[in-house]
Amino acid sequence: MRSTRWLNRLHAIWACLSPPAAAFTMMSDTRVTGSVERGRRLAAGDFLFAGHHLPAPGLDIWDLSMPNAEFEAAVHGFEWLDDLTAVCDFQTNRLARNWTHDWIRRFGLGAGSGWTPELTGRRVLRWINHADQLLAGQGRAKSDAFRRSLSAQTVFLSRRWKTARRGLDRFEALAGLVQGSAALSGMDGLMRRASRALARECGSCIDSHGSIASRNPEELLEIFFLLNWAAAALRLAGRPPEDAHRAAVTAMAPVLRRLRHVDGSLARFHGGGPGTVDKLDWALANAGVKGAAARRQQLAMGYARVAHGRTTMIVDVAPPAATANAHASTLAFEVTSGLHPLVVNCGSGEALGRSWRMVARTTASHSTLDVEGYSSSRFAAPGGAMSGGAERIVHAPARVTLERNDYNDGTCIVAGHDGYQGRCGLNHWRRLQVDPEGCNVHGEDVLLAASDDGRKRFDSLLSAQRLEGVPFNIRFHLHPDVEAEADEEGRDVSMWLRNGETWRFGCRGDVQLALEPSDFLESASSSPRATIQIVLSGFAMEYSTRVSWILAKATRSGGVIQEDELARG
């Protein structure tokens, strides 16, 4: 790590000594829009990066006392430039120009922690995208310094992009290199090499189905967006993207469409958040790939999507990747009604520190079943030989099965996994059925000892626990905007969405229903948002334990869940 930092610094200094480009040959036509709310907070001196909140009114962004490396990296990456320019008033435009030119003055000769391939790529993309605002009304000296710094950063990327980690980091470095070399004169050779390198990365990191190894929907969106951004720059420069580049974009577009809820947000799985709706809309429109490319029954990167009426349900029906960010979320699901999320997963705790990050990866932080409080996948100990210094998943479900049927009366998904087989001999099966109007989600969770070995293991565990049974919990994490209240009998929960829509939850089986606290984790927040989860707790005493439940929109029979409807669940 230290040698990498030293080499980055050395190459940054060499790049700054290279002859600068004579002029811009074009400006970016990609108008990345940030958050007006975040831009106004920045203008007021309210800094929130990497989960850390730092109020410092009147302080220059480069004079902040950086709380950690992640915060500092976010500042040097310049994504905040999107937010300031989204406001586009006198104050935010002035701050955008001042902070950018101040970076050049302080760090433009190779100093500081911002000279890494991924941060440099991210920064170059923003500088070129917002160059018209950053250079408006500036004198010759500042404009020349801006151009020289862009030239140096582009040369640095040409020398160091290979050292970026495979995946999103390397795509950021290469997209910045493509954009920089296309926008500056005299860099045609760099642009050609960058375009070919980007195509090779597409071929090695994105499979023919448009999936990436991490199975993180938001990471897929970011890579898709970068590929479209780079493709737009290449076309403006008169150089069409390579075949592998175009093929990757074509394959990814239908996958992302199927990972979206009806409100436009992405499903929150494997460290990914909801994404930025405008960013995805632009990328999909720019890709020019028609939405009919994906069939209804197809899985998208290991997820099944069901959409009826105003309701969407997205289910994780594949094993997690053996990566340091994968979650133990097999058979977890999310449900959105119109523009309002109802059942969610807790999300990624990446921005809130290591403890929250690990909590977020457990099965209990997802809307699915856990046995004895254990996760369906096991994590390596920190720093262990198998983990590579991180808590990688070292034991995931070996077999995940799926059967999907689309009928006139809705869609039924039956899926199962053997993640608990080794511990207690039980497999988890889940049946989910959504009616054609999207008003009812019938569910059934089954713990089944299906094999002789499984029954022996289960019997042994029962004996060790003196026949008290194997405890399990079925969790339904609710979005923070959902209000919930249980009835006096503790068998039914009423839920109210912000638009006044009412949903009801009911269950059958030998379980206890409770409303318990939960946390909703967002990368743009410095602390978790408090929310509620519905928890069904019980004990598996036999080889087959079944729990039926239903989520029903309160539109029939005065909003009361009928016994025959629950029985069908």
Side-chain angles (χ1 to χ4, degrees):
M1 178 68 80
R2 183 175 297 178
S3 62
T4 299
R5 288 196 298 266
W6 185 85
L7 285 171
N8 282 340
R9 178 74 181 276
L10 184 61
H11 279 282
I13 294 172
W14 285 345
C16 292
L17 297 175
S18 301
F24 284 113
T25 58
M26 67 170 187
M27 294 290 189
S28 169
D29 71 340
T30 305
R31 284 295 171 259
V32 182
T33 56
S35 164
V36 172
E37 179 186 355
R38 289 197 301 266
R40 286 174 177 160
R41 288 209 313 256
L42 278 171
D46 196 18
F47 300 97
L48 177 61
F49 298 111
H52 287 270
H53 182 214
L54 192 61
L59 198 64
D60 189 293
I61 195 169
W62 306 115
D63 290 329
L64 295 175
S65 178
M66 307 291 177
N68 62 15
E70 291 74 22
F71 186 102
E72 190 170 11
V75 173
H76 279 274
F78 270 75
E79 284 184 284
W80 47 263
L81 202 54
D82 299 337
D83 301 326
L84 287 179
T85 54
V87 180
C88 200
D89 62 15
F90 176 80
Q91 182 187 11
T92 54
N93 286 344
R94 178 177 58 83
L95 285 176
R97 288 192 292 268
N98 289 349
W99 290 351
T100 300
H101 292 292
D102 204 19
W103 187 94
I104 296 171
R105 182 177 61 84
R106 296 182 186 219
F107 310 111
L109 294 179
S113 62
W115 288 90
T116 67
E118 62 275 12
L119 291 180
T120 304
R122 200 179 304 168
R123 187 168 55 246
V124 165
L125 287 166
R126 267 70 194 181
W127 282 21
I128 294 176
N129 190 57
H130 302 296
D132 48 356
Q133 292 103 316
L134 296 176
L135 297 177
Q138 302 301 292
R140 176 71 177 269
K142 284 189 176 180
S143 295
D144 286 348
F146 181 84
R147 173 177 46 80
R148 286 195 301 269
S149 183
L150 267 180
S151 296
Q153 292 178 70
T154 302
V155 171
F156 171 80
L157 286 172
S158 72
R159 296 174 175 175
R160 296 298 287 167
W161 68 264
K162 289 182 181 179
T163 65
R165 288 178 299 181
R166 299 296 295 268
L168 180 58
D169 285 355
R170 190 169 291 186
F171 279 109
E172 283 186 313
L174 282 170
L177 177 55
V178 167
Q179 185 71 268
S181 57
L184 296 165
S185 63
M187 295 193 175
D188 292 345
L190 294 185
M191 181 177 61
R192 287 193 297 272
R193 291 194 292 273
S195 178
R196 290 194 291 266
L198 188 59
R200 289 194 297 272
E201 287 301 309
C202 288
S204 61
C205 296
I206 302 161
D207 68 20
S208 60
H209 302 293
S211 301
I212 56 176
S214 70
R215 300 189 57 231
N216 179 332
E218 189 175 21
E219 183 181 349
L220 186 73
L221 162 61
E222 293 298 328
I223 293 173
F224 182 69
F225 183 78
L226 289 169
L227 291 178
N228 278 279
W229 204 344
L234 288 168
R235 293 189 187 100
L236 276 175
R239 181 180 178 84
E242 302 283 333
D243 289 346
H245 184 165
R246 293 197 302 269
V249 169
T250 300
M252 295 165 80
V255 175
L256 283 163
R257 287 192 174 97
R258 292 192 60 76
L259 293 177
R260 299 183 91 176
H261 285 292
V262 70
D263 65 348
S265 67
L266 292 171
R268 294 155 53 88
F269 285 98
H270 293 288
T276 304
V277 174
D278 290 345
K279 181 183 285 188
L280 181 51
D281 286 342
W282 177 87
L284 287 171
N286 188 74
V289 181
K290 294 183 179 180
R295 295 192 306 272
R296 176 189 256 183
Q297 293 83 3
Q298 281 183 330
L299 290 183
M301 208 162 67
Y303 302 96
R305 181 179 190 266
V306 179
H308 291 296
R310 299 174 66 251
T311 301
T312 50
M313 178 178 69
I314 299 177
V315 193
D316 185 355
V317 287
T323 67
N325 294 312
H327 288 204
S329 60
T330 311
L331 302 196
F333 74 105
E334 292 192 325
V335 174
T336 293
S337 178
L339 300 178
H340 301 276
L342 177 59
V343 178
V344 296
N345 297 309
C346 289
S348 172
E350 187 75 29
L352 302 179
R354 181 181 175 277
S355 296
W356 276 110
R357 175 179 172 272
M358 282 307 302
V359 167
R361 297 177 67 197
T362 63
T363 298
S365 293
H366 299 81
S367 292
T368 186
L369 176 147
D370 64 77
V371 173
E372 296 188 293
Y374 287 89
S375 291
S376 55
S377 297
R378 292 205 306 269
F379 302 99
M386 296 181 68
S387 69
E391 301 85 349
R392 292 177 176 270
I393 286 180
V394 294
H395 188 278
R399 188 163 182 255
V400 181
T401 60
L402 170 70
E403 180 181 340
R404 174 176 179 147
N405 292 295
D406 292 279
Y407 302 106
N408 292 332
D409 58 349
T411 298
C412 181
I413 287 176
V414 180
H417 75 81
D418 59 359
Y420 300 113
Q421 173 91 33
R423 176 164 186 82
C424 60
L426 297 172
N427 291 348
H428 175 208
W429 288 87
R430 167 164 271 185
R431 183 168 70 88
L432 301 165
Q433 183 166 356
V434 183
D435 72 343
E437 292 79 28
C439 293
N440 293 314
V441 179
H442 294 270
E444 183 178 57
D445 285 286
V446 181
L447 285 172
L448 182 66
S451 65
D452 290 340
D453 181 68
R455 286 189 283 270
K456 289 177 182 178
R457 194 178 297 272
F458 179 72
D459 289 338
S460 175
L461 192 59
L462 280 187
S463 299
Q465 296 183 354
R466 299 181 181 179
L467 303 180
E468 292 180 357
V470 177
F472 65 87
N473 299 288
I474 308 171
R475 303 176 189 274
F476 305 82
H477 296 273
L478 304 181
H479 190 272
D481 292 338
V482 177
E483 296 183 20
E485 183 178 300
D487 67 356
E488 293 181 358
E489 289 76 24
R491 306 299 294 182
D492 184 83
V493 176
S494 297
M495 294 161 287
W496 297 274
L497 307 186
R498 276 195 166 180
N499 63 349
E501 191 172 279
T502 301
W503 283 73
R504 294 265 164 73
F505 178 91
C507 65
R508 291 185 66 188
D510 191 11
V511 290
Q512 294 293 319
L513 183 151
L515 290 180
E516 298 182 2
S518 182
D519 294 290
F520 189 74
L521 309 174
E522 298 175 293
S523 59
S525 176
S526 59
S527 60
R529 290 178 65 187
T531 187
I532 293 171
Q533 59 176 316
I534 301 171
V535 182
L536 306 181
S537 301
F539 292 87
M541 296 287 295
E542 301 176 348
Y543 294 149
S544 177
T545 301
R546 298 174 181 270
V547 179
S548 298
W549 50 266
I550 182 174
L551 279 166
K553 191 183 296 185
T555 55
R556 299 176 182 173
S557 305
V560 177
I561 300 174
Q562 300 297 307
E563 187 70 17
D564 61 337
E565 283 191 325
L566 186 53
R568 289 199 304 272

